[in-house]
Amino acid sequence: MLPFIAFAVTWAVYVCLAVVKSRGNRVDGAAVLGAVLLATVTFFVRALVAGTSLDSVFYGAALLSVLILAVTLGDPSLMFDIHQMKGKQFRRLPKAEQAKVRARDRRSGIAQLSFLVIVVVASSLYVSLDWTFLN
């Protein structure tokens, strides 16, 4: 029961923050919610097909949610590149707005790259050191 509670709490916080933070950034909350749901289903299906126990899947999902919240500093919507602005739209924005869009794109890229590097390093360590705490 504890793995499910850990997953449910972290996932709920993650989804709430993703939807709320996406609203202020011209990203549709429904699109972010759809992306989160699709990613969650894909994660669970992939893990269960690989033969991982359900408890391990819950712990793994909770760990990834916490990692994303840490990497994005509480703004998980940075992990999704939804509705990128077209060049013409971008050029029509005032310079101050263009700077905000560039800063958000930069933060999004840094968060995504950091997440990938941490996941690759952590996965490599987990396998190479024969850790089994997620089994």
PDB file of all heavy atoms in Angstrom, residues 1-33:
ATOM      1  N   MET A   1       0.821  -1.197   0.000  1.00  0.00           N
ATOM      2  CA  MET A   1       0.000   0.000   0.000  1.00  0.00           C
ATOM      3  C   MET A   1       0.870   1.268   0.000  1.00  0.00           C
ATOM      4  O   MET A   1       0.518   2.248  -0.631  1.00  0.00           O
ATOM      5  CB  MET A   1      -0.921  -0.026   1.225  1.00  0.00           C
ATOM      6  CG  MET A   1      -1.941   1.039   1.223  1.00  0.00           C
ATOM      7  SD  MET A   1      -3.090   0.769  -0.118  1.00  0.00           S
ATOM      8  CE  MET A   1      -4.336   1.900   0.286  1.00  0.00           C
ATOM      9  N   LEU A   2       2.004   1.225   0.690  1.00  0.00           N
ATOM     10  CA  LEU A   2       2.892   2.385   0.753  1.00  0.00           C
ATOM     11  C   LEU A   2       3.406   2.805  -0.631  1.00  0.00           C
ATOM     12  O   LEU A   2       3.432   4.009  -0.930  1.00  0.00           O
ATOM     13  CB  LEU A   2       4.055   2.121   1.709  1.00  0.00           C
ATOM     14  CG  LEU A   2       5.008   3.290   1.912  1.00  0.00           C
ATOM     15  CD1 LEU A   2       4.285   4.486   2.521  1.00  0.00           C
ATOM     16  CD2 LEU A   2       6.165   2.873   2.777  1.00  0.00           C
ATOM     17  N   PRO A   3       3.805   1.863  -1.499  1.00  0.00           N
ATOM     18  CA  PRO A   3       4.258   2.292  -2.833  1.00  0.00           C
ATOM     19  C   PRO A   3       3.168   3.038  -3.603  1.00  0.00           C
ATOM     20  O   PRO A   3       3.446   4.033  -4.266  1.00  0.00           O
ATOM     21  CB  PRO A   3       4.621   0.989  -3.533  1.00  0.00           C
ATOM     22  CG  PRO A   3       4.864   0.015  -2.448  1.00  0.00           C
ATOM     23  CD  PRO A   3       3.992   0.425  -1.312  1.00  0.00           C
ATOM     24  N   PHE A   4       1.926   2.571  -3.484  1.00  0.00           N
ATOM     25  CA  PHE A   4       0.833   3.236  -4.183  1.00  0.00           C
ATOM     26  C   PHE A   4       0.602   4.637  -3.625  1.00  0.00           C
ATOM     27  O   PHE A   4       0.370   5.585  -4.380  1.00  0.00           O
ATOM     28  CB  PHE A   4      -0.456   2.415  -4.103  1.00  0.00           C
ATOM     29  CG  PHE A   4      -1.619   3.113  -4.745  1.00  0.00           C
ATOM     30  CD1 PHE A   4      -1.704   3.208  -6.120  1.00  0.00           C
ATOM     31  CD2 PHE A   4      -2.602   3.708  -3.974  1.00  0.00           C
ATOM     32  CE1 PHE A   4      -2.758   3.875  -6.727  1.00  0.00           C
ATOM     33  CE2 PHE A   4      -3.656   4.377  -4.572  1.00  0.00           C
ATOM     34  CZ  PHE A   4      -3.741   4.452  -5.951  1.00  0.00           C
ATOM     35  N   ILE A   5       0.662   4.781  -2.313  1.00  0.00           N
ATOM     36  CA  ILE A   5       0.466   6.096  -1.690  1.00  0.00           C
ATOM     37  C   ILE A   5       1.575   7.056  -2.114  1.00  0.00           C
ATOM     38  O   ILE A   5       1.315   8.208  -2.449  1.00  0.00           O
ATOM     39  CB  ILE A   5       0.387   5.961  -0.157  1.00  0.00           C
ATOM     40  CG1 ILE A   5      -0.892   5.217   0.234  1.00  0.00           C
ATOM     41  CG2 ILE A   5       0.437   7.325   0.517  1.00  0.00           C
ATOM     42  CD1 ILE A   5      -0.967   4.824   1.691  1.00  0.00           C
ATOM     43  N   ALA A   6       2.824   6.559  -2.122  1.00  0.00           N
ATOM     44  CA  ALA A   6       3.947   7.394  -2.564  1.00  0.00           C
ATOM     45  C   ALA A   6       3.738   7.846  -4.001  1.00  0.00           C
ATOM     46  O   ALA A   6       3.935   9.025  -4.336  1.00  0.00           O
ATOM     47  CB  ALA A   6       5.255   6.621  -2.433  1.00  0.00           C
ATOM     48  N   PHE A   7       3.308   6.926  -4.854  1.00  0.00           N
ATOM     49  CA  PHE A   7       3.053   7.273  -6.248  1.00  0.00           C
ATOM     50  C   PHE A   7       1.907   8.274  -6.363  1.00  0.00           C
ATOM     51  O   PHE A   7       2.023   9.275  -7.059  1.00  0.00           O
ATOM     52  CB  PHE A   7       2.734   6.019  -7.069  1.00  0.00           C
ATOM     53  CG  PHE A   7       2.093   6.323  -8.389  1.00  0.00           C
ATOM     54  CD1 PHE A   7       2.832   6.867  -9.412  1.00  0.00           C
ATOM     55  CD2 PHE A   7       0.740   6.106  -8.577  1.00  0.00           C
ATOM     56  CE1 PHE A   7       2.236   7.179 -10.628  1.00  0.00           C
ATOM     57  CE2 PHE A   7       0.135   6.406  -9.777  1.00  0.00           C
ATOM     58  CZ  PHE A   7       0.886   6.945 -10.805  1.00  0.00           C
ATOM     59  N   ALA A   8       0.799   7.994  -5.688  1.00  0.00           N
ATOM     60  CA  ALA A   8      -0.389   8.845  -5.803  1.00  0.00           C
ATOM     61  C   ALA A   8      -0.112  10.269  -5.344  1.00  0.00           C
ATOM     62  O   ALA A   8      -0.523  11.233  -6.006  1.00  0.00           O
ATOM     63  CB  ALA A   8      -1.547   8.237  -5.011  1.00  0.00           C
ATOM     64  N   VAL A   9       0.590  10.414  -4.246  1.00  0.00           N
ATOM     65  CA  VAL A   9       0.878  11.758  -3.715  1.00  0.00           C
ATOM     66  C   VAL A   9       1.800  12.522  -4.654  1.00  0.00           C
ATOM     67  O   VAL A   9       1.520  13.673  -5.024  1.00  0.00           O
ATOM     68  CB  VAL A   9       1.484  11.665  -2.292  1.00  0.00           C
ATOM     69  CG1 VAL A   9       2.040  13.001  -1.848  1.00  0.00           C
ATOM     70  CG2 VAL A   9       0.438  11.168  -1.311  1.00  0.00           C
ATOM     71  N   THR A  10       2.903  11.903  -5.062  1.00  0.00           N
ATOM     72  CA  THR A  10       3.847  12.612  -5.941  1.00  0.00           C
ATOM     73  C   THR A  10       3.224  12.896  -7.300  1.00  0.00           C
ATOM     74  O   THR A  10       3.436  13.959  -7.870  1.00  0.00           O
ATOM     75  CB  THR A  10       5.163  11.839  -6.126  1.00  0.00           C
ATOM     76  OG1 THR A  10       4.881  10.543  -6.638  1.00  0.00           O
ATOM     77  CG2 THR A  10       5.926  11.741  -4.829  1.00  0.00           C
ATOM     78  N   TRP A  11       2.434  11.958  -7.805  1.00  0.00           N
ATOM     79  CA  TRP A  11       1.806  12.156  -9.112  1.00  0.00           C
ATOM     80  C   TRP A  11       0.778  13.277  -9.041  1.00  0.00           C
ATOM     81  O   TRP A  11       0.690  14.103  -9.956  1.00  0.00           O
ATOM     82  CB  TRP A  11       1.166  10.856  -9.588  1.00  0.00           C
ATOM     83  CG  TRP A  11       0.772  10.883 -11.024  1.00  0.00           C
ATOM     84  CD1 TRP A  11       1.583  10.662 -12.103  1.00  0.00           C
ATOM     85  CD2 TRP A  11      -0.526  11.153 -11.554  1.00  0.00           C
ATOM     86  NE1 TRP A  11       0.862  10.774 -13.262  1.00  0.00           N
ATOM     87  CE2 TRP A  11      -0.434  11.074 -12.953  1.00  0.00           C
ATOM     88  CE3 TRP A  11      -1.754  11.445 -10.964  1.00  0.00           C
ATOM     89  CZ2 TRP A  11      -1.531  11.279 -13.790  1.00  0.00           C
ATOM     90  CZ3 TRP A  11      -2.843  11.655 -11.799  1.00  0.00           C
ATOM     91  CH2 TRP A  11      -2.721  11.568 -13.199  1.00  0.00           C
ATOM     92  N   ALA A  12      -0.002  13.333  -7.974  1.00  0.00           N
ATOM     93  CA  ALA A  12      -1.009  14.393  -7.826  1.00  0.00           C
ATOM     94  C   ALA A  12      -0.340  15.772  -7.750  1.00  0.00           C
ATOM     95  O   ALA A  12      -0.785  16.724  -8.402  1.00  0.00           O
ATOM     96  CB  ALA A  12      -1.863  14.142  -6.587  1.00  0.00           C
ATOM     97  N   VAL A  13       0.726  15.869  -6.973  1.00  0.00           N
ATOM     98  CA  VAL A  13       1.462  17.144  -6.879  1.00  0.00           C
ATOM     99  C   VAL A  13       2.017  17.520  -8.246  1.00  0.00           C
ATOM    100  O   VAL A  13       1.911  18.662  -8.696  1.00  0.00           O
ATOM    101  CB  VAL A  13       2.593  17.044  -5.826  1.00  0.00           C
ATOM    102  CG1 VAL A  13       3.533  18.233  -5.914  1.00  0.00           C
ATOM    103  CG2 VAL A  13       2.007  16.919  -4.435  1.00  0.00           C
ATOM    104  N   TYR A  14       2.602  16.542  -8.919  1.00  0.00           N
ATOM    105  CA  TYR A  14       3.182  16.762 -10.241  1.00  0.00           C
ATOM    106  C   TYR A  14       2.123  17.270 -11.224  1.00  0.00           C
ATOM    107  O   TYR A  14       2.331  18.271 -11.919  1.00  0.00           O
ATOM    108  CB  TYR A  14       3.793  15.445 -10.738  1.00  0.00           C
ATOM    109  CG  TYR A  14       4.428  15.525 -12.083  1.00  0.00           C
ATOM    110  CD1 TYR A  14       5.765  15.853 -12.210  1.00  0.00           C
ATOM    111  CD2 TYR A  14       3.707  15.277 -13.239  1.00  0.00           C
ATOM    112  CE1 TYR A  14       6.364  15.922 -13.454  1.00  0.00           C
ATOM    113  CE2 TYR A  14       4.291  15.346 -14.477  1.00  0.00           C
ATOM    114  CZ  TYR A  14       5.626  15.671 -14.577  1.00  0.00           C
ATOM    115  OH  TYR A  14       6.208  15.745 -15.806  1.00  0.00           O
ATOM    116  N   VAL A  15       0.979  16.585 -11.290  1.00  0.00           N
ATOM    117  CA  VAL A  15      -0.071  16.970 -12.237  1.00  0.00           C
ATOM    118  C   VAL A  15      -0.617  18.355 -11.908  1.00  0.00           C
ATOM    119  O   VAL A  15      -0.785  19.187 -12.806  1.00  0.00           O
ATOM    120  CB  VAL A  15      -1.206  15.919 -12.250  1.00  0.00           C
ATOM    121  CG1 VAL A  15      -2.419  16.427 -12.999  1.00  0.00           C
ATOM    122  CG2 VAL A  15      -0.710  14.627 -12.874  1.00  0.00           C
ATOM    123  N   CYS A  16      -0.888  18.608 -10.653  1.00  0.00           N
ATOM    124  CA  CYS A  16      -1.415  19.930 -10.259  1.00  0.00           C
ATOM    125  C   CYS A  16      -0.452  21.045 -10.632  1.00  0.00           C
ATOM    126  O   CYS A  16      -0.852  22.056 -11.227  1.00  0.00           O
ATOM    127  CB  CYS A  16      -1.698  19.964  -8.765  1.00  0.00           C
ATOM    128  SG  CYS A  16      -3.127  18.987  -8.286  1.00  0.00           S
ATOM    129  N   LEU A  17       0.819  20.870 -10.301  1.00  0.00           N
ATOM    130  CA  LEU A  17       1.800  21.899 -10.640  1.00  0.00           C
ATOM    131  C   LEU A  17       1.960  22.047 -12.151  1.00  0.00           C
ATOM    132  O   LEU A  17       2.092  23.170 -12.651  1.00  0.00           O
ATOM    133  CB  LEU A  17       3.155  21.581  -9.999  1.00  0.00           C
ATOM    134  CG  LEU A  17       3.260  21.858  -8.510  1.00  0.00           C
ATOM    135  CD1 LEU A  17       4.585  21.333  -7.961  1.00  0.00           C
ATOM    136  CD2 LEU A  17       3.126  23.344  -8.229  1.00  0.00           C
ATOM    137  N   ALA A  18       1.947  20.955 -12.881  1.00  0.00           N
ATOM    138  CA  ALA A  18       2.097  21.028 -14.339  1.00  0.00           C
ATOM    139  C   ALA A  18       0.949  21.798 -14.972  1.00  0.00           C
ATOM    140  O   ALA A  18       1.163  22.668 -15.814  1.00  0.00           O
ATOM    141  CB  ALA A  18       2.180  19.624 -14.934  1.00  0.00           C
ATOM    142  N   VAL A  19      -0.269  21.511 -14.554  1.00  0.00           N
ATOM    143  CA  VAL A  19      -1.432  22.195 -15.133  1.00  0.00           C
ATOM    144  C   VAL A  19      -1.468  23.659 -14.708  1.00  0.00           C
ATOM    145  O   VAL A  19      -1.677  24.547 -15.537  1.00  0.00           O
ATOM    146  CB  VAL A  19      -2.732  21.462 -14.741  1.00  0.00           C
ATOM    147  CG1 VAL A  19      -3.953  22.268 -15.136  1.00  0.00           C
ATOM    148  CG2 VAL A  19      -2.777  20.086 -15.389  1.00  0.00           C
ATOM    149  N   VAL A  20      -1.241  23.936 -13.438  1.00  0.00           N
ATOM    150  CA  VAL A  20      -1.286  25.317 -12.947  1.00  0.00           C
ATOM    151  C   VAL A  20      -0.178  26.163 -13.575  1.00  0.00           C
ATOM    152  O   VAL A  20      -0.424  27.274 -14.041  1.00  0.00           O
ATOM    153  CB  VAL A  20      -1.197  25.348 -11.402  1.00  0.00           C
ATOM    154  CG1 VAL A  20      -0.953  26.752 -10.896  1.00  0.00           C
ATOM    155  CG2 VAL A  20      -2.461  24.778 -10.792  1.00  0.00           C
ATOM    156  N   LYS A  21       1.040  25.642 -13.599  1.00  0.00           N
ATOM    157  CA  LYS A  21       2.158  26.420 -14.148  1.00  0.00           C
ATOM    158  C   LYS A  21       2.032  26.603 -15.654  1.00  0.00           C
ATOM    159  O   LYS A  21       2.516  27.592 -16.192  1.00  0.00           O
ATOM    160  CB  LYS A  21       3.494  25.730 -13.840  1.00  0.00           C
ATOM    161  CG  LYS A  21       3.814  25.646 -12.374  1.00  0.00           C
ATOM    162  CD  LYS A  21       4.328  26.958 -11.866  1.00  0.00           C
ATOM    163  CE  LYS A  21       4.794  26.792 -10.430  1.00  0.00           C
ATOM    164  NZ  LYS A  21       5.600  27.867  -9.969  1.00  0.00           N
ATOM    165  N   SER A  22       1.407  25.662 -16.348  1.00  0.00           N
ATOM    166  CA  SER A  22       1.288  25.780 -17.799  1.00  0.00           C
ATOM    167  C   SER A  22       0.327  26.890 -18.200  1.00  0.00           C
ATOM    168  O   SER A  22       0.473  27.479 -19.258  1.00  0.00           O
ATOM    169  CB  SER A  22       0.825  24.459 -18.409  1.00  0.00           C
ATOM    170  OG  SER A  22      -0.502  24.179 -18.026  1.00  0.00           O
ATOM    171  N   ARG A  23      -0.638  27.204 -17.360  1.00  0.00           N
ATOM    172  CA  ARG A  23      -1.620  28.243 -17.684  1.00  0.00           C
ATOM    173  C   ARG A  23      -0.979  29.606 -17.878  1.00  0.00           C
ATOM    174  O   ARG A  23      -1.355  30.355 -18.754  1.00  0.00           O
ATOM    175  CB  ARG A  23      -2.664  28.346 -16.590  1.00  0.00           C
ATOM    176  CG  ARG A  23      -3.633  27.228 -16.615  1.00  0.00           C
ATOM    177  CD  ARG A  23      -4.662  27.449 -15.555  1.00  0.00           C
ATOM    178  NE  ARG A  23      -5.752  26.521 -15.715  1.00  0.00           N
ATOM    179  CZ  ARG A  23      -6.795  26.506 -14.938  1.00  0.00           C
ATOM    180  NH1 ARG A  23      -6.889  27.372 -13.950  1.00  0.00           N
ATOM    181  NH2 ARG A  23      -7.747  25.635 -15.139  1.00  0.00           N
ATOM    182  N   GLY A  24      -0.009  29.936 -17.083  1.00  0.00           N
ATOM    183  CA  GLY A  24       0.639  31.240 -17.183  1.00  0.00           C
ATOM    184  C   GLY A  24       1.639  31.324 -18.320  1.00  0.00           C
ATOM    185  O   GLY A  24       2.210  32.369 -18.563  1.00  0.00           O
ATOM    186  N   ASN A  25       1.826  30.242 -19.046  1.00  0.00           N
ATOM    187  CA  ASN A  25       2.846  30.220 -20.091  1.00  0.00           C
ATOM    188  C   ASN A  25       2.268  29.922 -21.469  1.00  0.00           C
ATOM    189  O   ASN A  25       2.936  29.338 -22.311  1.00  0.00           O
ATOM    190  CB  ASN A  25       3.917  29.192 -19.744  1.00  0.00           C
ATOM    191  CG  ASN A  25       4.631  29.562 -18.474  1.00  0.00           C
ATOM    192  OD1 ASN A  25       5.094  30.679 -18.329  1.00  0.00           O
ATOM    193  ND2 ASN A  25       4.693  28.635 -17.539  1.00  0.00           N
ATOM    194  N   ARG A  26       1.012  30.259 -21.664  1.00  0.00           N
ATOM    195  CA  ARG A  26       0.346  30.086 -22.951  1.00  0.00           C
ATOM    196  C   ARG A  26       0.305  28.631 -23.409  1.00  0.00           C
ATOM    197  O   ARG A  26       0.278  28.357 -24.594  1.00  0.00           O
ATOM    198  CB  ARG A  26       1.024  30.926 -24.036  1.00  0.00           C
ATOM    199  CG  ARG A  26       0.923  32.387 -23.791  1.00  0.00           C
ATOM    200  CD  ARG A  26       1.433  33.131 -24.987  1.00  0.00           C
ATOM    201  NE  ARG A  26       1.436  34.539 -24.681  1.00  0.00           N
ATOM    202  CZ  ARG A  26       2.264  35.394 -25.220  1.00  0.00           C
ATOM    203  NH1 ARG A  26       3.140  34.998 -26.083  1.00  0.00           N
ATOM    204  NH2 ARG A  26       2.204  36.659 -24.897  1.00  0.00           N
ATOM    205  N   VAL A  27       0.396  27.726 -22.509  1.00  0.00           N
ATOM    206  CA  VAL A  27       0.282  26.319 -22.850  1.00  0.00           C
ATOM    207  C   VAL A  27      -1.037  25.832 -22.280  1.00  0.00           C
ATOM    208  O   VAL A  27      -1.361  26.104 -21.130  1.00  0.00           O
ATOM    209  CB  VAL A  27       1.457  25.511 -22.260  1.00  0.00           C
ATOM    210  CG1 VAL A  27       1.304  24.040 -22.571  1.00  0.00           C
ATOM    211  CG2 VAL A  27       2.779  26.027 -22.796  1.00  0.00           C
ATOM    212  N   ASP A  28      -1.779  25.134 -23.080  1.00  0.00           N
ATOM    213  CA  ASP A  28      -3.087  24.644 -22.659  1.00  0.00           C
ATOM    214  C   ASP A  28      -2.927  23.589 -21.569  1.00  0.00           C
ATOM    215  O   ASP A  28      -2.191  22.619 -21.723  1.00  0.00           O
ATOM    216  CB  ASP A  28      -3.793  24.060 -23.873  1.00  0.00           C
ATOM    217  CG  ASP A  28      -5.208  23.632 -23.592  1.00  0.00           C
ATOM    218  OD1 ASP A  28      -5.797  24.136 -22.611  1.00  0.00           O
ATOM    219  OD2 ASP A  28      -5.738  22.819 -24.363  1.00  0.00           O
ATOM    220  N   GLY A  29      -3.622  23.795 -20.459  1.00  0.00           N
ATOM    221  CA  GLY A  29      -3.565  22.845 -19.343  1.00  0.00           C
ATOM    222  C   GLY A  29      -4.029  21.462 -19.746  1.00  0.00           C
ATOM    223  O   GLY A  29      -3.495  20.453 -19.287  1.00  0.00           O
ATOM    224  N   ALA A  30      -5.019  21.380 -20.635  1.00  0.00           N
ATOM    225  CA  ALA A  30      -5.510  20.073 -21.099  1.00  0.00           C
ATOM    226  C   ALA A  30      -4.431  19.333 -21.889  1.00  0.00           C
ATOM    227  O   ALA A  30      -4.302  18.114 -21.784  1.00  0.00           O
ATOM    228  CB  ALA A  30      -6.762  20.244 -21.935  1.00  0.00           C
ATOM    229  N   ALA A  31      -3.652  20.072 -22.667  1.00  0.00           N
ATOM    230  CA  ALA A  31      -2.581  19.440 -23.440  1.00  0.00           C
ATOM    231  C   ALA A  31      -1.508  18.893 -22.505  1.00  0.00           C
ATOM    232  O   ALA A  31      -0.996  17.783 -22.717  1.00  0.00           O
ATOM    233  CB  ALA A  31      -1.973  20.451 -24.413  1.00  0.00           C
ATOM    234  N   VAL A  32      -1.166  19.630 -21.468  1.00  0.00           N
ATOM    235  CA  VAL A  32      -0.177  19.162 -20.500  1.00  0.00           C
ATOM    236  C   VAL A  32      -0.715  17.953 -19.747  1.00  0.00           C
ATOM    237  O   VAL A  32      -0.015  16.956 -19.567  1.00  0.00           O
ATOM    238  CB  VAL A  32       0.218  20.288 -19.519  1.00  0.00           C
ATOM    239  CG1 VAL A  32       1.047  19.750 -18.373  1.00  0.00           C
ATOM    240  CG2 VAL A  32       0.985  21.369 -20.252  1.00  0.00           C
ATOM    241  N   LEU A  33      -1.969  18.017 -19.342  1.00  0.00           N
ATOM    242  CA  LEU A  33      -2.584  16.887 -18.642  1.00  0.00           C
ATOM    243  C   LEU A  33      -2.598  15.649 -19.529  1.00  0.00           C
ATOM    244  O   LEU A  33      -2.279  14.543 -19.077  1.00  0.00           O
ATOM    245  CB  LEU A  33      -4.005  17.244 -18.201  1.00  0.00           C
ATOM    246  CG  LEU A  33      -4.756  16.183 -17.410  1.00  0.00           C
ATOM    247  CD1 LEU A  33      -4.001  15.828 -16.131  1.00  0.00           C
ATOM    248  CD2 LEU A  33      -6.157  16.651 -17.091  1.00  0.00           C
TER     249      LEU A  33
END
